């Protein structure tokens, strides 16, 4: 819509006129074109549906705004309390996690220093000592390369001794991430080979910048969360935890109902963990109730919105149908000859106020359209007419009128026209209309004949204008027939 208006403004009047006069006339012409377009839209089915929808939405939104305005402060207070609870959870998780990680950090440093002098007894004693001083560690395991060489405690963990991590399909991606990133990585909950689930903190051992082995600290999830969430006010709040890392979009459920993360009212918080994140979602268990009066007002508001939108929509659709039957062609949705006459009369009246401009009439007739109907059937013929109508409409300005004159004939009213503009438009239409298209699985090619005339340059009356343009069209059509074999 903007392009035709700009075109009209730039081309309406000669540059010899004063700037303020040219601008005023350009604005007036653009306003006329816009009002004509708006007038047509008010009679369309889409306008009826859109208006009904707007009425419905306006009433519903007004109702909801009035109902929820007084709840904003309460919602803010609940969110602040949920955020405080989530921060408390994060602090407790950080406390318990740090208690575990510092042991792994010390052990990994020992392995870097002693990697060439390791022996079974020394490793057994060190692992036993660290395990005895820990709160949540289920077991330690040390892999040299990718094969597990040391495990403590051994009882209950015999299955993992000597195993190659690359053979554990379910765990290998997380192990590979820790090795390739050269960072300690917390994963889980993990299904252990020796049974049960736990978190695993894997620390790659780097010697002189090269991978030497992997320290795995298996954390008892039940012990960990029992300590972290002891004395938490779980009666007032429900919460869930899931994990994720920067290298993957996947998340793993850790604690609680994962549906909380889909609840827009839940408060969310992130916690940085080694080479990843934990996400918390917190929601009060008991939100403030909605009173019966609020529900009554809401239902009445929605019913009023529904009844009003249905009534407005029905009225406008009836008006649209009446207008369409009176002024538009049912096949192409273009103005029919009756509406064309009205548009042309309006254009002539505008011309009387600005006699420096001309009005162009362009007739378009499809060549050999009857053969398409006879060969492919009337359904393909109808598609051809609709396609042609759309292509013509695409090439003209919004201020111009495209109408179906009858049968396979169309006519265009072009205001502010001249001979050059008419020739350019004719050539554009000739190219665009003649492009092949598909209809019912068949490739259709069609040509058209054109005839144009200008008022008052070529004809001084409407009757002679239409007759001249029509005559020129049929003259071209005859030339087309003469050149055919």
């Amino acid at each position: 819509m903007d392009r035709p208006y700009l075109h009209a403004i730039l081309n309406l009047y000669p540059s010899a006129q004063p700037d303020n006069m040219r601008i005023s006339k350009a604005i007036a012409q653009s306003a006329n074109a816009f009002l004509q377009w708006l007038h047509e839209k008010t009679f369309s089915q889409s306008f009826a549906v859109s208006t009904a929808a707007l009425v419905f939405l306006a009433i519903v939104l007004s109702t909801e705004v009035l109902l929820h305005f007084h709840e904003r402060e309460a919602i803010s207070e609940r969110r602040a309390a949920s955020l405080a609870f989530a921060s408390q959870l994060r602090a407790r998780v950080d406390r318990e996690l740090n208690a575990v990680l510092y042991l792994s950090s010390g052990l990994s440093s020992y392995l870097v220093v002693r990697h060439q002098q390791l022996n079974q007894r020394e490793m057994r004693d060190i692992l036993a000592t660290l395990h005895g001083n820990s709160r949540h560690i289920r077991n330690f395991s040390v892999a040299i390369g990718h094969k597990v060489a040391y495990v403590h405690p051994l009882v209950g963990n015999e299955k993992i001794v000597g195993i190659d991590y690359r053979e554990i399909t379910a765990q290998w991606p997380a192990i590979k991430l820790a090795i390739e990133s050269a960072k300690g990585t917390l994963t889980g909950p993990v299904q252990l080979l020796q049974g049960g689930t736990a978190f695993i903190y894997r620390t790659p051992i780097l010697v002189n910048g090269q991978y030497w082995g992997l320290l795995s600290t298996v954390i008892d999830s039940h012990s960990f969360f029992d300590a972290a969430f002891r004395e938490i006010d779980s009666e007032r709040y429900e919460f869930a935890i899931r994990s994720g890392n920067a290298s993957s979009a996947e998340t793993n459920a850790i604690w609680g109902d994962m549906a909380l993360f889909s609840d827009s009212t839940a408060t969310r918080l992130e916690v940085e963990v080694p080479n990843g994140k934990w996400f918390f979602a917190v929601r009060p268990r008991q939100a403030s109730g909605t009173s019966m009066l609020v529900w009554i007002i809401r239902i009445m508001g929605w019913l009023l919105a529904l009844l009003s939108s249905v009534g407005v929509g029905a009225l406008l659709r009836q008006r649209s149908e009446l207008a369409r039957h009176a002024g538009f062609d049912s096949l192409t949705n273009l103005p029919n000859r009756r509406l064309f006459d009205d548009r042309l009369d309006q254009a002539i009246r505008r011309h009387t106020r600005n006699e420096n401009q001309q009005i162009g009439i362009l007739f378009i007739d499809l060549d050999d359209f009857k053969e398409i109907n006879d060969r492919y059937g009337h359904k393909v013929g109808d598609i051809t007419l609709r396609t042609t109508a759309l292509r013509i409409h695409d090439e003209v300005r919004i201020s111009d009128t495209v109408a179906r004159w009858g049968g396979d004939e169309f006519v265009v009213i072009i205001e502010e026209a001249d001979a050059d503009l008419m020739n350019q438009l004719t050539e554009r239409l000739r190219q665009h209309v003649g492009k092949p298209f598909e209809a019912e699985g068949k490739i259709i090619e069609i040509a058209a004949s054109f005839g144009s005339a200008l008022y008052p340059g070529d004809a001084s009356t409407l009757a002679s204008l239409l007759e001249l343009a029509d005559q020129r069209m049929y003259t071209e059509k005859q030339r087309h027939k003469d050149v055919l074999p």
Side-chain angles (χ1 to χ4, degrees):
M1 187 167 67
D2 293 335
R3 182 181 62 80
Y5 286 152
L6 181 60
H7 185 276
I9 290 174
L10 293 176
N11 295 281
L12 280 176
Y13 300 97
S15 58
Q17 295 184 13
D19 288 345
N20 59 345
M21 182 180 297
R22 297 203 331 260
I23 293 173
S24 298
K25 291 182 177 180
I27 292 174
Q29 181 58 36
S30 298
N32 286 334
F34 175 75
L35 290 175
Q36 177 179 320
W37 172 84
L38 185 61
H39 178 72
E40 290 180 5
K41 287 298 180 182
T42 59
F43 287 97
S44 67
Q45 290 282 356
S46 60
F47 177 80
V49 174
S50 300
T51 303
L54 286 174
V55 169
F56 179 82
L57 289 176
I59 297 176
V60 167
L61 288 175
S62 299
T63 301
E64 294 301 319
V65 167
L66 291 175
L67 288 175
H68 290 286
F69 183 78
H70 72 281
E71 294 181 3
R72 291 180 180 177
E73 185 176 353
I75 291 173
S76 298
E77 291 178 357
R78 289 197 298 271
R79 287 189 178 276
S82 296
L83 182 60
F85 182 79
S87 299
Q88 183 184 10
L89 291 177
R90 179 174 63 181
R92 287 172 174 268
V93 168
D94 284 343
R95 181 194 65 195
E96 298 301 322
L97 194 56
N98 289 333
V100 174
L101 299 187
Y102 91 93
L103 293 176
S104 299
S105 178
L107 181 55
S108 64
S109 298
Y110 166 81
L111 292 173
V112 171
V113 175
R114 297 282 294 171
H115 69 280
Q116 292 181 337
Q117 293 86 28
L118 294 179
N119 61 72
Q120 288 283 353
R121 181 175 180 178
E122 182 179 344
M123 280 298 300
R124 185 175 62 249
D125 292 343
I126 289 176
L127 292 177
T129 301
L130 292 176
H131 184 265
N133 292 329
S134 67
R135 288 189 289 182
H136 312 304
I137 296 177
R138 177 169 173 168
N139 65 270
F140 291 105
S141 63
V142 178
I144 299 176
H146 298 98
K147 185 174 292 187
V148 176
Y150 304 98
V151 177
H152 183 86
L154 183 59
V155 177
N157 298 301
E158 296 87 346
K159 290 184 178 181
I160 64 173
V161 176
I163 196 168
D164 191 317
Y165 281 138
R166 290 169 292 190
E167 298 175 357
I168 311 175
T169 306
Q171 296 186 28
W172 174 242
I175 296 172
K176 185 180 179 182
L177 172 65
I179 294 173
E180 291 180 349
S181 64
K183 296 179 181 179
T185 303
L186 181 66
T187 57
V190 175
Q191 189 69 37
L192 302 175
L193 293 178
Q194 59 271 44
T197 58
F199 296 103
I200 302 179
Y201 177 58
R202 297 183 175 95
T203 308
I205 307 302
L206 303 179
V207 178
N208 297 324
Q210 300 297 318
Y211 173 72
W212 174 85
L214 188 70
L215 168 63
S216 297
T217 304
V218 180
I219 304 169
D220 188 316
S221 56
H222 296 291
S223 172
F224 181 88
F225 287 125
D226 284 345
F229 301 150
R230 188 180 299 123
E231 298 177 358
I232 283 289
D233 189 3
S234 57
E235 293 185 359
R236 291 181 56 198
Y237 298 95
E238 55 182 331
F239 61 94
I241 308 173
R242 67 185 183 188
S243 64
N245 59 65
S247 65
S248 173
E250 294 184 8
T251 58
N252 295 317
I254 295 178
W255 181 280
D257 183 4
M258 293 300 103
L260 282 176
F261 288 97
S262 301
D263 188 345
S264 60
T265 65
T267 300
R268 294 168 181 80
L269 196 65
E270 294 182 3
V271 177
E272 296 285 345
V273 298
N275 214 8
K277 291 182 179 181
W278 281 8
F279 304 93
F280 290 76
V282 176
R283 180 179 64 189
R285 290 190 181 274
Q286 294 181 348
S288 59
T290 303
S291 68
M292 182 61 67
L293 179 60
V294 168
W295 279 112
I296 292 174
I297 295 175
R298 175 175 285 119
I299 292 172
M300 290 180 63
W302 280 68
L303 286 175
L304 177 62
L306 181 61
L307 293 174
S308 299
S309 63
V310 169
V312 170
L315 181 63
L316 292 178
R317 280 195 299 271
Q318 184 181 17
R319 176 174 173 263
S320 172
E321 286 297 325
L322 291 174
R324 181 157 298 279
H325 287 307
F328 287 86
D329 174 59
S330 60
L331 177 63
T332 62
N333 287 326
L334 293 178
N336 57 20
R337 187 178 294 195
R338 177 180 177 181
L339 184 55
F340 169 84
D341 292 339
D342 179 68
R343 296 279 181 82
L344 184 57
D345 184 61
Q346 293 179 32
I348 294 298
R349 286 200 298 269
R350 284 192 290 271
H351 175 266
T352 59
R353 296 193 294 269
N354 181 21
E355 296 183 354
N356 293 325
Q357 299 297 330
Q358 299 191 86
I359 299 171
I361 292 294
L362 177 62
F363 275 98
I364 305 163
D365 187 270
L366 301 183
D367 296 340
D368 301 320
F369 177 73
K370 184 176 182 300
E371 292 185 8
I372 292 178
N373 267 337
D374 294 342
R375 183 176 181 182
Y376 300 115
H378 289 284
K379 188 173 183 180
V380 173
D382 290 346
I383 295 174
T384 301
L385 291 174
R386 285 195 294 267
T387 302
T388 302
L390 287 173
R391 289 179 171 183
I392 297 173
H393 194 273
D394 287 343
E395 290 296 330
V396 302
R397 302 168 300 184
I398 194 171
S399 58
D400 300 332
T401 294
V402 181
R404 185 181 180 191
W405 189 251
D408 59 350
E409 195 169 346
F410 301 87
V411 62
V412 186
I413 303 173
I414 303 99
E415 299 187 55
E416 292 79 47
D418 54 35
D420 289 340
L421 178 62
M422 297 298 292
N423 290 335
Q424 292 171 11
L425 176 60
T426 300
E427 289 308 310
R428 288 204 313 271
L429 288 173
R430 195 186 305 278
Q431 296 295 324
H432 198 38
V433 170
K435 292 179 181 178
F437 61 93
E438 184 177 346
E440 296 293 309
K442 302 173 181 63
I443 301 302
I444 305 300
E445 294 187 57
I446 193 164
S449 299
F450 298 82
S452 63
L454 291 169
Y455 172 88
D458 294 329
S460 58
T461 65
L462 291 184
S464 59
L465 175 69
L466 295 173
E467 182 179 357
L468 179 60
D470 187 63
Q471 179 183 348
R472 289 174 176 176
M473 180 194 68
Y474 276 103
T475 300
E476 179 175 304
K477 194 176 190 70
Q478 188 60 46
R479 285 201 305 268
H480 290 174
K481 291 181 179 180
D482 292 340
V483 299
L484 290 175

